């Protein structure tokens, strides 16, 4: 059985999910488990398991599969403790599965408030759970943190994490647990909120501390000295009325020796730097890595990757702790490849920048000044100073988005799900921006504007490409790269078997040789894979598990580009082992009808007004120019009955199906204009079927 097996047996005999800080810190002593989101507190996502290697990975076969309840975006990293998998699907449904067989042990549905589905930003996704001393913890899109009994899946306690229910706060990230405190951030910066991260007692759910990531009312004393410092980097009060943003919606890492918790903060609300802060100041702590004391929530240091962020270049992307040999000296570093296109290596004790180089195409800055730690802005991306559309590289999904990267200490390489992504931004000062209204994006800028013409949409779709990038963080250079047809591929896992595992947007699960990127194995996933895989042991065998399910920000907002991936949503868990011989069950996709639209009675001017209203208020879920990526209904395909009751649907008739009510938010005139535009797009769709190969019609 060996050491790993004996430890697992002893633990399993006591209490399910009996994890504490000591077990996580000593995770390498029981490599068959995956006890925290990044496996270890340093979030390297590297497994010492090597039963599966580059020499035998071709023998991987399906061991089992499990169908999830909702065919929406699946972003969870599973937790595996003593042979049991704890994971989530869409709408924060929690599953406990037998790691060897896939048998369901229990399921918990938090019954998220479907009337708030329009406030979830980027699909009804959830990035997974945390476990601690016999409990499982999950955050919900409607803002609750829930503790479950790991044996039964029954709720133990629930905490409301939202400070202001008049704003569109949500949770999509996975909790982390340090010293008995469950730590969770919130999302919602696009909707106009003030960012913060909170710690709760794991036993009772009582709040231990809260750290605000942007200042409060500038006319009043701030809650903490660091916010008093930060408020001086903002100008005016528009940002405060809007909320400020800076939400800590995803990545964290923890150093037990330094007792520092690292959080990544997000974009501003509004994006538009001129409207938000009169184009002045760094606007702390937007788009920053912030080190805090996990016991008290006290600020220690920060490093801001994108001062005055005006493009949604968040620093919420995955952070990795490692000890690297730099200039002949071992340095304790934190590494990040945030959206802005630069790979950062930072001293994790002090926050001092060590190095930063471009890992993706960038035009907003020429370099990072190593003396000051600040970017050297080019001015090319300063849309608030220009007329017309301004091309920005990388755009709002960045050179790398939330999908986790991994670090292999044996190869010394970081494996990044890279994007090549550029979009236009346009300052439109005459537009009546929505402020402080739930459900609505509040960006202050027109982004990713496209013509209805399929050729224009296809041009953009084909220009957004992805890759798996192997990056040397010491030399700050590419070692190898595998190209993909589109962005938004899955997170990565690296192992001691000299392997890198990744799922792809075009519906595959793949293994590469870690040293040179040679593809050694792949298998169909039936849908896009955006989550990061994990590996573990059960009954002496090594398994690799992929969470499969197309969704998230890219397929909902950029439907035309998403369709170019050639997949549709189908959510399931796929688990592989050497010699696995299970047969992949067939996926069942509903037909896509093209109903006859009603007569168009609107003028061309009204249709164009409707387009602006639609893209301003509806595109974050139903796609730019009403081209859905398949995650939510394609509104070009409304039935005759749905056209007849369109206004009622917008005003709440389908709330319990996840379509929120906009009654009292959108006027009757706005609803009519949006409907006029959708009728036009329905006729466009009928015409486009003459060219079935176009990605915008599939």
């Amino acid at each position: 059985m060996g050491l790993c097996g004996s430890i697992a047996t002893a633990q399993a005999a006591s209490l399910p999910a009996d994890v504490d800080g000591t077990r996580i810190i000593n995770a390498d002593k029981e490599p068959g488990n995956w006890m925290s989101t990044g496996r270890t507190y340093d979030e390297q996502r590297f497994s010492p398991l090597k039963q599966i290697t580059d020499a035998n990975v071709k023998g991987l076969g399906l061991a089992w599969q499990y169908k999830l309840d909702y065919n929406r975006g699946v972003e969870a990293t599973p937790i595996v403790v003593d042979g049991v998998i704890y994971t989530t699907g869409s709408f924060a449904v929690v599953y406990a599965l037998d790691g060897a067989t896939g048998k369901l042990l229990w399921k918990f549905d938090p019954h998220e408030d479907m009337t708030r589905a329009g406030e979830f930003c980027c699909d009804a996704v959830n990035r997974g759970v945390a476990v601690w001393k016999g409990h499982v913890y999950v955050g919900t899109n409607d803002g609750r943190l829930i503790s479950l009994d790991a044996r039964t899946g029954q709720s133990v306690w629930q905490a409301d994490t939202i400070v202001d229910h008049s704003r569109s706060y949500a949770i999509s990230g996975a909790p982390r647990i340090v010293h008995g405190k469950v730590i969770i951030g919130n999302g919602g910066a696009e909707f106009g909120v003030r960012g913060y991260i909170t710690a709760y007692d794991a036993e009772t759910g009582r709040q231990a501390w809260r750290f605000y990531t942007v200042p409060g009312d500038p006319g009043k004393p701030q809650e903490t000295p660091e916010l008093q410092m930060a408020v001086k980097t903002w100008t005016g009060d528009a940002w405060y009325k809007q909320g400020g943003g800076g939400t800590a919606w995803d990545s964290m890492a923890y150093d037990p020796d330094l007792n520092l918790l690292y959080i990544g903060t997000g974009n501003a609300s509004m994006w538009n730097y001129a409207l938000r802060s009169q184009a002045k100041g760094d606007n702390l702590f937007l788009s920053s890595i912030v080190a805090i004391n996990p016991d008290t929530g006290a600020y220690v240091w920060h490093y801001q990757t994108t001062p005055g962020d005006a493009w949604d270049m968040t620093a919420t992307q995955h952070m990795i702790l490692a000890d690297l040999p730099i200039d002949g000296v071992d340095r304790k570093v934190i590494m990040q490849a945030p959206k802005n296109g630069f790979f950062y290596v930072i001293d994790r004790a002090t926050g001092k920048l060590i190095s930063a180089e471009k890992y993706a195409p960038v035009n907003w800055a020429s370099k990072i000044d190593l003396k000051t730690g600040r970017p050297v802005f080019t001015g090319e991306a300063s849309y608030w100073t220009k007329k017309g559309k301004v091309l920005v590289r990388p755009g709002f999904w960045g050179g790398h988005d939330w999908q986790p990267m991994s670090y292999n200490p044996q190869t010394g390489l970081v494996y990044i799900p890279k994007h090549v992504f550029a979009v236009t931004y346009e300052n439109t000062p005459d537009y009546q921006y929505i402020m402080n209204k739930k459900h609505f994006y509040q960006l202050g800028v027109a982004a990713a504007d496209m013509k209805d013409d399929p050729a224009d949409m296809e041009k953009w779709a084909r220009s957004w490409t992805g890759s798996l990038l192997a990056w040397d963080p010491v030399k700050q250079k590419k070692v190898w790269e595998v190209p993909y047809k589109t962005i938004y591929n899955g997170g990565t896992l690296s192992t001691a078997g000299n392997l890198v595992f990744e799922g792809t947007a075009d519906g595959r699960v793949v293994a590469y040789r870690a040293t040179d990127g040679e593809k050694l194995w792949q298998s169909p996933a039936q849908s896009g894979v955006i989550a990061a895989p994990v590996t573990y042991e059960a009954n002496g065998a090594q398994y690799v598990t992929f969470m499969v399910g197309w969704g998230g920000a890219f397929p909902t907002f950029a439907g035309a580009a998403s369709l170019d991936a050639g997949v549709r949503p189908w959510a399931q868990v796929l688990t592989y082992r050497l010699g696995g011989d299970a047969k992949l069950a067939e996926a069942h996709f509903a037909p896509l009808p093209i109903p006859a639209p009603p007569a168009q009675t609107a003028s061309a001017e009204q249709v164009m007004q409707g387009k602006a209203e639609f893209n301003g208020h509806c595109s974050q879920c139903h796609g730019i120019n009403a081209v859905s990526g398949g995650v939510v209904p394609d509104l070009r395909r409304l039935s005759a009955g749905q056209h007849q009751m369109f206004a009622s649907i917008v005003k709440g008739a389908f709330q319990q199906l996840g379509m929120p009510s906009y009654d009292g938010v959108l006027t009757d005139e706005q609803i009519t204009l949006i409907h006029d535009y959708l009728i036009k797009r329905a006729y466009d769709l009928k015409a486009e079927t003459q060219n079935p190969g176009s990605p915008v019609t599939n």
Side-chain angles (χ1 to χ4, degrees):
M1 181 179 293
L3 177 62
C4 176
S6 62
I7 291 175
T9 301
Q11 293 290 346
S14 56
L15 186 70
D18 190 15
V19 173
D20 59 13
T22 300
R23 278 190 86 180
I24 298 174
I25 291 170
N26 295 297
D28 284 352
K29 294 182 179 179
E30 41 181 318
N33 288 323
W34 191 285
M35 295 180 288
S36 186
T37 295
R39 194 184 74 88
T40 48
Y41 277 135
D42 56 26
E43 300 271 328
Q44 292 186 3
R45 292 179 180 262
F46 168 80
S47 172
L49 294 179
K50 52 184 178 181
Q51 185 181 103
I52 303 169
T53 71
D54 55 351
N56 63 17
V57 68
K58 290 182 180 179
L60 273 189
L62 184 67
W64 55 263
Q65 69 185 115
Y66 180 85
K67 181 71 183 70
L68 301 175
D69 290 52
Y70 297 100
N71 290 321
R72 299 284 292 261
V74 178
E75 299 186 355
T77 296
I79 301 296
V80 189
V81 185
D82 306 325
V84 178
I85 297 176
Y86 304 93
T87 191
T88 59
S90 303
F91 297 103
V93 178
V94 184
Y95 304 85
L97 304 168
D98 184 292
T101 67
K103 178 184 176 182
L104 179 67
L105 304 177
W106 55 257
K107 178 171 64 174
F108 174 80
D109 188 341
H111 299 291
E112 290 186 346
D113 183 355
M114 300 293 282
T115 66
R116 293 194 53 209
E119 304 174 52
F120 294 172
C121 168
C122 308
D123 198 6
V125 296
N126 186 278
R127 296 189 182 88
V129 302
V131 298
W132 190 264
K133 295 184 177 180
H135 295 85
V136 179
Y137 302 86
V138 64
T140 67
N141 278 296
D142 54 14
R144 292 171 288 156
L145 179 66
I146 303 175
S147 171
L148 306 174
D149 185 307
R151 190 181 300 279
T152 65
Q154 294 180 340
S155 176
V156 177
W157 56 255
Q158 298 191 23
D160 180 0
T161 71
I162 297 178
V163 297
D164 183 354
H165 282 274
S166 71
R167 306 269 181 157
S168 293
Y169 283 101
I171 296 175
S172 61
R176 308 305 200 275
I177 305 180
V178 177
H179 297 168
K181 295 179 176 62
V182 188
I183 303 163
I184 192 69
N186 297 75
E190 281 75 20
F191 295 94
V193 304
R194 182 188 182 193
Y196 56 89
I197 192 166
T198 315
Y200 296 88
D201 182 271
E203 285 294 319
T204 66
R206 287 194 295 267
Q207 181 178 318
W209 52 257
R210 173 166 287 147
F211 180 90
Y212 282 99
T213 56
V214 297
D217 186 344
K220 298 178 180 179
Q222 300 299 310
E223 290 92 341
T224 59
E226 63 271 9
L227 290 176
Q228 200 63 48
M229 169 189 71
V231 75
K232 298 175 183 178
T233 69
W234 297 74
T235 299
D237 63 1
W239 58 271
Y240 161 68
K241 294 177 181 178
Q242 188 67 15
T247 48
W249 50 266
D250 191 16
S251 184
M252 291 178 256
Y254 172 61
D255 185 328
D257 295 329
L258 297 174
N259 196 31
L260 289 180
L261 175 72
Y262 306 94
I263 64 172
T265 67
N267 55 278
S269 183
M270 297 180 168
W271 291 2
N272 192 315
Y273 189 33
L275 293 176
R276 179 181 80 237
S277 187
Q278 300 176 24
K280 298 176 182 177
D282 288 348
N283 294 182
L284 294 173
F285 295 102
L286 297 179
S287 302
S288 300
I289 297 172
V290 185
I292 58 181
N293 184 311
D295 300 314
T296 64
Y299 164 91
V300 179
W301 61 255
H302 77 276
Y303 178 83
Q304 190 172 39
T305 57
T306 312
D309 176 26
W311 308 277
D312 188 21
M313 288 184 183
T314 63
T316 51
Q317 284 58 53
H318 184 200
M319 297 176 289
I320 293 175
L321 312 184
D323 295 347
L324 298 183
I326 297 175
D327 296 330
V329 178
D330 284 342
R331 300 286 298 271
K332 294 183 178 297
V333 308
I334 185 169
M335 300 182 284
Q336 189 185 50
K339 282 187 181 180
N340 72 15
F342 288 90
F343 189 98
Y344 293 84
V345 178
I346 298 167
D347 186 301
R348 67 177 184 262
T350 65
K352 180 176 174 56
L353 179 67
I354 296 173
S355 64
E357 293 293 341
K358 297 175 183 177
Y359 69 88
V362 172
N363 74 347
W364 66 275
S366 59
K367 65 178 182 178
I368 306 298
D369 187 314
L370 296 185
K371 291 183 179 180
T372 65
R374 299 177 63 85
V376 178
F377 292 96
T378 64
E380 290 183 38
S382 301
Y383 60 83
W384 58 92
T385 67
K386 306 175 187 294
K387 292 184 178 180
K389 298 176 185 178
V390 176
L391 189 69
V392 179
R393 294 189 180 92
F396 46 76
W397 286 316
H400 167 222
D401 205 346
W402 65 267
Q403 288 91 332
M405 59 190 190
S406 61
Y407 170 69
N408 187 325
Q410 296 178 349
T411 65
L413 302 179
V414 178
Y415 303 96
I416 308 170
K418 173 186 163 183
H419 296 170
V420 175
F421 176 65
V423 293
T424 60
Y425 293 66
E426 184 175 8
N427 186 34
T428 51
D430 296 331
Y431 185 76
Q432 296 300 307
Y433 292 112
I434 297 169
M435 293 184 66
N436 306 331
K437 286 187 178 181
K438 297 180 77 171
H439 301 299
F440 284 143
Y441 270 22
Q442 300 164 39
L443 309 182
V445 60
D449 186 35
M450 302 178 188
K451 300 176 182 177
D452 287 348
D453 176 18
D456 186 64
M457 298 178 78
E458 183 173 352
K459 176 193 73 174
W460 284 105
R462 295 284 163 82
S463 72
W464 299 344
T465 62
S467 67
L468 172 58
L469 173 65
W471 187 263
D472 185 326
V474 175
K475 297 179 180 179
Q476 283 281 20
K477 69 176 187 178
K478 178 179 78 173
V479 175
W480 56 260
E481 189 168 11
V482 176
Y484 293 138
K485 68 184 300 183
T486 188
I487 66 171
Y488 227 66
N489 299 282
T492 70
L493 158 71
S494 55
T495 76
N498 195 28
L499 294 169
V500 179
F501 292 93
E502 183 183 24
T504 67
D506 60 359
R508 297 172 293 137
V509 290
V510 191
Y512 302 92
R513 185 181 291 124
T515 46
D516 61 13
E518 181 179 346
K519 184 173 69 176
L520 302 176
W521 169 87
Q522 72 173 21
S523 186
Q526 301 174 311
S527 188
V529 184
I530 51 180
V534 300
T535 188
Y536 60 92
E537 279 187 343
N539 298 333
Q542 181 182 354
Y543 292 79
V544 181
T545 286
F546 293 84
M547 301 294 296
V548 178
W550 191 228
F554 176 56
T556 51
F557 183 60
S562 168
L563 291 171
D564 199 38
V567 297
R568 293 175 64 186
W570 186 253
Q572 59 186 332
V573 186
L574 297 180
T575 297
Y576 302 85
R577 64 173 173 82
L578 294 174
D581 58 2
K583 183 179 179 181
L584 186 63
E586 184 180 354
H588 299 283
F589 301 108
L592 296 176
I594 307 178
Q600 177 63 272
T601 60
S603 67
E605 181 181 3
Q606 288 170 321
V607 168
M608 290 306 295
Q609 289 176 331
K611 177 180 179 179
E613 296 288 354
F614 179 91
N615 282 338
H617 308 320
C618 314
S619 61
Q620 67 265 28
C621 292
H622 292 282
I624 303 170
N625 297 359
V627 180
S628 170
V631 180
V632 294
D634 190 316
L635 300 186
R636 301 172 300 168
R637 302 176 187 272
L638 293 173
S639 67
Q642 289 168 334
H643 277 290
Q644 289 177 355
M645 62 180 300
F646 183 79
S648 297
I649 294 172
V650 175
K651 292 182 178 182
F654 286 2
Q655 280 192 84
Q656 297 309 316
L657 299 177
M659 171 63 196
S661 172
Y662 292 91
D663 190 20
V665 182
L666 286 175
T667 66
D668 288 344
E669 181 183 7
Q670 287 174 305
I671 294 171
T672 298
L673 289 170
I674 291 170
H675 192 203
D676 290 336
Y677 177 62
L678 293 177
I679 293 171
K680 185 260 186 186
R681 295 297 286 137
Y683 279 104
D684 289 346
L685 178 62
K686 288 181 69 69
E688 290 161 14
T689 56
Q690 304 298 321
N691 179 22
S694 170
V696 301
T697 60
N698 291 347

